[in-house]
Amino acid sequence: MTETQSQLMQRLAANTRVGYSFDQEFYCSDAVFKADMDTIISRKWLLAGHISRIPNKGDYFLFRVGAEQIIVIRENDDSVRAFFNVCRHRGSTICQADSGNAPRLVCPYHAWTFGLDGKLLSARLMPEDFDKAENSLFACHIRLFHGLIFINMSEDEPVDFDATFGDMGPILDYHGFDTARIAHAGSYPTTANWKLVVENFFECYHCVPSHPEFCSMHAAESIVAVGAGPSSGPADAIASFTPKLQAWEASAAAAGRPIGNIDDAPDSSHLRLMMQRMNKDGWSSETQDGSAPAPLMGKRTKADGGRMHLSFSPFSQIVADDHFAILFQFTPRSALETDVEMIWIVDGRAGEDEVDIPKMTWGYHATTTQDKVITENNQTGIMSTRYRPGRYSDQEGSVIKFQKWYLNQFGLERAE
């Protein structure tokens, strides 16, 4: 008898324990990846990009998730649309280039032509009873939020965007994302399951042995206590770090920064996170020498020496300091493939000659290149017949929370 998707996930959940990594199938199985797509990935608001990528009418880019391709296109000054890249005739993709400009969306196969609103404008030699109004492109849910473009592939009404993310508005406004611009983009495709990519990002236990550049930019005590978020480290390290953090928060608030943390529970819809903290002493920015690579971002009138890690979901992250921000996109493509993209953002008023791109990208380019190798090696080892779930350290609390959240999406729990 063929195992149903529900039976598969129930069996796997029953074989897991809190404090241990997942069973092999979670990271390798095509059937589990399909369950992930059906139950989690297609139902979440995913960060697709920044509005500055499509400034003009007809500008578009493709956002790929699993086997899906989503056309994100500017309809006009007031509207950005998203459509599945599937012609309503016989299913050909309409846009083949990763990005471009299209006054109309024309299928290259049989020349069916769609407007930027997705409506079918022309289809040659169709029968008299053919109804163009019933053959618009399939729309994808889309929201613009402080210059950030989010899509949701749910066939039903998705979770309410404003209710889910509205409380993040003040800090995004302060950073000036709405009027920012893209300075640089990097792609780090990773031959590993998306859960391994996320778990690696959600812990800093590996930072000291694996990331010399990252560690050079951060105080050792902050890496241990809150290196991957407000509850990622040991309790005693967090308690020791908290008074210093509170002192910086008071200073940053006086300078105008909205202060506050977000640390969603495993039963939340998106497992959001926001952690703000001070940079290493003497460091004004996360660069090799601590100096600023670009002008101040957003509404700042002076630097407060802080940095922010904001997580909209396990798939969509932001790391930002006073002078630049990085959008992290962890996009599942298959059971063993994840697109890892980074987009460096600077203030929209910053001139080209005011932004030192090599300085700005030095730390996180190195770190993410290392993470690609680390995670691919992790995936290779998990494929072995000798892999067994391993015990987590006291510095991997956020990974445990992520795994509880993951199972909660299926209505499941793991053994205590």
Side-chain angles (χ1 to χ4, degrees):
M1 181 181 295
T2 303
E3 189 177 39
T4 67
Q5 194 173 93
S6 176
Q7 289 169 337
L8 166 68
M9 301 310 296
Q10 288 176 2
R11 172 175 60 80
L12 292 175
N15 290 336
T16 62
R17 288 187 290 168
V18 171
Y20 289 78
S21 59
F22 274 151
D23 189 74
Q24 183 184 63
E25 283 183 79
F26 280 108
Y27 303 116
C28 305
S29 164
D30 289 333
V32 171
F33 182 76
K34 185 178 188 310
D36 291 351
M37 284 294 303
D38 293 346
T39 304
I40 303 177
I41 301 161
S42 66
R43 300 184 184 184
K44 300 306 175 191
W45 287 103
L46 305 177
L47 177 60
H50 189 266
I51 193 64
S52 62
R53 188 173 179 185
I54 47 173
N56 303 309
K57 180 178 179 178
D59 286 350
Y60 76 88
F61 65 88
L62 296 182
F63 183 66
R64 294 178 170 86
V65 188
E68 301 289 0
Q69 296 182 13
I70 306 299
I71 305 168
V72 179
I73 189 165
R74 181 174 284 280
E75 180 186 12
N76 53 49
D77 288 344
D78 302 318
S79 175
V80 174
R81 301 270 194 155
F83 305 104
F84 287 83
N85 191 16
V86 180
C87 182
R88 292 301 306 277
H89 179 215
R90 285 168 55 186
S92 172
T93 54
I94 296 171
C95 297
Q96 277 77 49
D98 287 341
S99 62
N101 182 277
R104 291 183 174 83
L105 293 170
V106 182
C107 178
Y109 196 4
H110 299 96
W112 280 33
T113 301
F114 303 85
L116 301 185
D117 60 359
K119 293 180 180 178
L120 179 61
L121 300 177
S122 65
R124 300 175 303 111
L125 304 175
M126 297 303 293
E128 289 185 5
D129 61 351
F130 176 74
D131 187 351
K132 288 194 295 185
E134 294 182 355
N135 286 274
S136 298
L137 294 177
F138 287 112
C140 179
H141 302 285
I142 186 168
R143 280 296 304 268
L144 299 183
F145 189 55
H146 293 275
L148 305 174
I149 304 170
F150 291 84
I151 63 99
N152 187 304
M153 299 185 297
S154 176
E155 294 189 42
D156 305 317
E157 191 64 25
V159 62
D160 184 87
F161 187 94
D162 293 327
T164 304
F165 301 112
D167 59 347
M168 294 178 165
I171 192 65
L172 296 173
D173 179 62
Y174 180 71
H175 279 276
F177 283 100
D178 194 33
T179 56
R181 68 173 178 86
I182 296 173
H184 183 74
S187 180
Y188 308 82
T190 301
T191 307
N193 186 269
W194 69 273
K195 291 185 284 295
L196 289 180
V197 172
V198 168
E199 288 170 6
N200 177 71
F201 194 78
F202 276 8
E203 56 95 347
C204 218
Y205 186 47
H206 74 283
C207 290
V208 171
S210 302
H211 296 317
E213 294 83 2
F214 180 87
C215 291
S216 74
M217 301 186 297
H218 300 94
E221 62 179 341
S222 70
I223 289 176
V224 174
V226 293
S231 59
S232 61
D236 58 345
I238 294 172
S240 175
F241 184 68
T242 296
K244 298 177 183 179
L245 176 60
Q246 290 174 338
W248 171 81
E249 287 177 338
S251 173
R257 177 191 283 256
I259 294 298
N261 286 347
I262 296 172
D263 195 12
D264 276 359
D267 61 355
S268 63
S269 68
H270 278 67
L271 197 65
R272 305 168 314 141
L273 176 151
M274 184 170 71
M275 176 74 194
Q276 302 188 82
R277 61 175 171 85
M278 60 285 201
N279 284 329
K280 181 179 177 180
D281 287 348
W283 250 243
S284 65
S285 196
E286 291 180 277
T287 59
Q288 186 171 9
D289 62 2
S291 63
L296 291 172
M297 275 193 76
K299 295 186 174 181
R300 292 174 174 81
T301 57
K302 63 178 182 178
D304 60 32
R307 56 98 73 184
M308 174 185 72
H309 172 201
L310 185 153
S311 175
F312 295 100
S313 74
F315 309 101
S316 307
Q317 320 274 334
I318 292 177
V319 170
D321 67 12
D322 290 329
H323 306 95
F324 68 95
I326 309 172
L327 311 184
F328 289 82
Q329 298 164 290
F330 304 139
T331 309
R333 297 299 303 280
S334 72
L336 300 178
E337 296 175 300
T338 305
D339 284 344
V340 176
E341 310 285 338
M342 287 198 295
I343 302 171
W344 279 265
I345 302 287
V346 296
D347 191 88
R349 298 162 294 188
E352 296 290 339
D353 60 345
E354 295 181 287
V355 180
D356 188 333
I357 290 177
K359 176 185 284 190
M360 181 177 64
T361 60
W362 173 81
Y364 280 97
H365 168 71
T367 300
T368 305
T369 300
Q370 292 154 1
D371 279 335
K372 171 180 166 65
V373 175
I374 290 165
T375 311
E376 291 181 343
N377 289 343
N378 194 184
Q379 182 71 64
T380 299
I382 286 174
M383 303 288 281
S384 169
T385 58
R386 294 301 185 268
Y387 167 74
R388 299 293 185 273
R391 183 80 178 270
Y392 286 127
S393 72
D394 291 339
Q395 206 179 342
E396 295 169 283
S398 292
V399 178
I400 296 172
K401 179 188 288 187
F402 162 69
Q403 294 189 339
K404 288 182 177 180
W405 173 84
Y406 171 81
L407 290 178
N408 186 269
Q409 301 304 298
F410 296 95
L412 300 170
E413 295 181 355
R414 63 200 299 174
E416 294 291 344

